[in-house]
Amino acid sequence: KHQLTARHGLAVLLAVVAFAYVVIPVYSGVVSFVGATMVCLYCFALGPTKVDLRALGGFCLLAVATAVSTVAYFGDISRGSIIFYVLPALYFASSYLGTSSRRLLLKLCVIGAAVVALVSLVVFSVEAMNDTAWRARAVLGSPNALGIFLAIAWLCLLCLREKDRRPLLFLEPILLSCLALTLSGGSLLSLACGLGVVLYREKKTCSWRELGSFVAHLLARMVIAFFLGIMFYIAANRTIIPWFCFVLVGLVVLVSVMWPQIMRLLADCRWLTYAVVLLCGLVFVMALFSFRQSALSTFIERIWMMENGIGYLLYYPLIGLGYEQWPLYNLQDADMYFNVAQIHNTVIH
């Protein structure tokens, strides 16, 4: 029992450290190393454990490669993506967690993501009043990063056991409405891929008819929350009443409180489920294409950006171009100048 309590404590510590990495820029060396040191000291107090050395070695190799590249270009290790240095410590700590502790960590991460989403909605409303609202991007600083972060959080919520998931389902509209407000195509693509995995797991335990009902119910919940998110954008950028965004924040909170009743209503009235999916889904898709008319050209530009990045992989295969040096190379080469700080592809970047 003492060991279980200690491992639950480690799960809470990991959740706090992870939340700090999200709220405070990961480039802050003090935050990164203090968090990693606290986690390691806690783990050493728990005693020995079994670790997958292959995975741990991969994280260590990534940290070493980051350090070598940063030293080669800047002369020290403090100018790169410092988060890579603490990933080995976080993975090492995760090996101490049992099944129940991992579930606790997952639930705490979902709650933290919902807090980030709610804060982002409030910040967007403040920006709307100042006529600077564009897309939800608060806390993480990028609409794409925030959108994919929230997509992963919602998929984690779906992957919890029914007993663990049910008390947290009221967070669903907060996560999804903020995700929709990012207007991020990359997050929607990530969401679609993750849903494919969720449906594959669900099919193993139900019939095709039951799976169809599950999909319809899931889509109805998604489009309701997406519709709320799109309403923020309309109020901020298509009306003369940007203050209405604060009313929408209250509406999102109200919908979250009433979410269990809404879910039961959708489950009992199948025709209502299909109507919600068709009507709200159609409005959301039309609004998305209307607000992001450049989505197709932007997607093509991302492909060209990746091609440009791939062309540099052989220039310095061991140390790379250096942290955030690609834009300088792109500025001088013959390809199109993309005017972004990073390639929109994690593997190439």
Side-chain angles (χ1 to χ4, degrees):
K1 185 176 180 180
H2 173 73
Q3 281 287 336
L4 181 61
T5 303
R7 294 179 193 279
H8 282 359
L10 176 60
V12 174
L13 177 60
L14 283 173
V16 171
V17 170
F19 189 74
Y21 287 160
V22 171
V23 176
I24 303 173
V26 295
Y27 310 107
S28 172
V30 174
V31 174
S32 298
F33 286 114
V34 167
T37 301
M38 291 172 57
V39 169
C40 288
L41 290 176
Y42 194 104
C43 291
F44 292 150
L46 291 177
T49 187
K50 292 183 179 180
V51 183
D52 186 343
L53 294 179
R54 292 172 298 180
L56 183 61
F59 283 117
C60 291
L61 182 62
L62 180 61
V64 170
T66 300
V68 170
S69 177
T70 307
V71 170
Y73 285 94
F74 302 109
D76 60 73
I77 64 171
S78 63
R79 294 281 298 275
S81 295
I82 295 176
I83 189 65
F84 290 139
Y85 302 145
V86 300
L87 286 178
L90 298 182
Y91 177 77
F92 173 71
S94 68
S95 64
Y96 280 85
L97 301 180
T99 302
S100 59
S101 300
R102 287 173 181 163
R103 292 195 190 111
L104 174 61
L105 175 60
L106 201 57
K107 289 189 287 185
L108 292 174
C109 288
V110 171
I111 294 172
V115 172
V116 170
L118 188 58
V119 169
S120 298
L121 292 177
V122 173
V123 170
F124 181 89
S125 302
V126 174
E127 291 175 344
M129 293 296 295
N130 296 326
D131 200 25
T132 58
W134 170 46
R135 294 154 64 187
R137 62 182 185 275
V139 183
L140 271 71
S142 164
N144 292 323
L146 178 61
I148 294 175
F149 171 75
L150 295 176
I152 294 173
W154 182 62
L155 292 170
C156 289
L157 176 60
L158 293 182
C159 290
L160 285 170
R161 295 184 309 172
E162 178 68 20
K163 184 175 67 173
D164 297 322
R165 180 172 67 244
R166 186 171 294 277
L168 298 178
L169 275 177
F170 76 96
L171 300 175
E172 200 170 46
I174 299 175
L175 293 170
L176 292 178
S177 59
C178 187
L179 190 157
L181 189 54
T182 63
L183 300 178
S184 170
S187 65
L188 293 178
L189 180 61
S190 302
L191 196 65
C193 294
L195 281 176
V197 176
V198 171
L199 296 181
Y200 175 76
R201 291 181 54 186
E202 190 71 20
K203 180 60 184 68
K204 292 182 177 180
T205 59
C206 66
S207 65
W208 284 106
R209 183 182 182 86
E210 292 171 333
L211 182 64
S213 298
F214 174 80
V215 171
H217 192 261
L218 189 66
L219 288 177
R221 286 150 46 194
M222 289 175 60
V223 296
I224 290 173
F226 283 174
F227 184 78
L228 288 173
I230 288 297
M231 289 297 293
F232 277 88
Y233 186 88
I234 294 174
N237 296 283
R238 295 292 191 273
T239 71
I240 58 173
I241 50 171
W243 53 264
F244 192 70
C245 288
F246 289 102
V247 177
L248 290 173
V249 172
L251 180 60
V252 169
V253 174
L254 179 62
V255 170
S256 298
V257 173
M258 299 180 60
W259 200 239
Q261 291 87 341
I262 294 174
M263 290 179 60
R264 281 197 296 270
L265 178 63
L266 292 174
D268 295 338
C269 303
R270 187 170 298 179
W271 61 269
L272 180 61
T273 300
Y274 295 140
V276 167
V277 170
L278 289 175
L279 295 179
C280 293
L282 182 62
V283 170
F284 171 73
V285 172
M286 292 175 61
L288 188 62
F289 279 102
S290 174
F291 300 153
R292 303 245 11 224
Q293 297 179 3
S294 61
L296 180 59
S297 60
T298 302
F299 176 76
I300 296 174
E301 184 178 300
R302 298 285 191 269
I303 300 298
W304 293 344
M305 188 187 305
M306 294 174 197
E307 290 180 355
N308 181 271
I310 291 173
Y312 282 111
L313 291 180
L314 297 179
Y315 269 56
Y316 303 102
L318 295 180
I319 61 173
L321 298 181
Y323 178 67
E324 292 190 342
Q325 297 302 295
W326 170 76
L328 300 178
Y329 283 84
N330 174 229
L331 181 62
Q332 302 176 57
D333 62 30
D335 287 348
M336 170 184 176
Y337 179 59
F338 300 100
N339 194 29
V340 293
Q342 300 169 346
I343 297 175
H344 285 57
N345 183 291
T346 302
V347 176
I348 298 175
H349 178 69

